[in-house]
Amino acid sequence: MVEPACPQKSPYAVDLAPGDYYWCACGKSKNQPFCDGSHKDSEFSPVKYTASQAEKVWFCGCKRTGKKPMCDGTHVKIGFKAEEVRVPSDPENPDERHSIWVAVKPV
């Protein structure tokens, strides 16, 4: 299995309007974190994400998350120091939170 490129060892924080988005899974897009078709003729395919309302999300930048397309902190395991950030899990309920990991500098 071919590993994807790693364009960024931290998540992409993106403010989205309602609609469909396609997360780059190959890591080669020039329009990160979104697909620009650079995966053509490879084993990678973009991952669709639908925002039902305006929201801020954290898309994986290292392309190795277990929760595609969202960041799950995997970048911490591949060599970057990170700090835990608690973010809202549900825009309707800002008190309900989950953790994401944000890279702060190389180790």
Side-chain angles (χ1 to χ4, degrees), residues 24 26-31 35-42 44:
C24 169
C26 72
K28 294 181 180 178
S29 173
K30 302 286 188 246
N31 188 34
C35 178
D36 69 0
S38 295
H39 64 276
K40 187 176 179 187
D41 298 324
S42 78
F44 297 99

Side-chain angles (χ1 to χ4, degrees), residues 17-97:
D20 292 334
Y21 297 86
Y22 292 86
W23 174 76
C24 169
C26 72
K28 294 181 180 178
S29 173
K30 302 286 188 246
N31 188 34
Q32 291 294 334
F34 304 112
C35 178
D36 69 0
S38 295
H39 64 276
K40 187 176 179 187
D41 298 324
S42 78
E43 63 186 67
F44 297 99
S45 297
V47 176
K48 183 179 179 180
Y49 179 81
T50 301
S52 57
Q53 61 187 14
E55 61 183 340
K56 184 168 194 163
V57 298
W58 287 262
F59 287 112
C60 176
C62 72
K63 308 302 178 184
R64 284 149 180 87
T65 181
K67 296 183 177 182
K68 295 177 183 179
M70 298 304 169
C71 175
D72 69 356
T74 297
H75 59 275
V76 175
K77 298 174 190 169
I78 60 174
F80 268 63
K81 180 179 175 185
E83 54 186 50
E84 185 177 15
V85 178
R86 302 286 292 166
V87 297
S89 297
D90 179 358
E92 303 274 326
N93 183 3
D95 293 330
E96 185 178 318
R97 297 182 171 267

Side-chain angles (χ1 to χ4, degrees), residues 6-13 59-62 71 75 80 101-104:
C6 181
Q8 180 169 300
K9 292 183 180 176
S10 61
Y12 292 96
F59 287 112
C60 176
C62 72
C71 175
H75 59 275
F80 268 63
W101 293 91
V102 180
V104 290

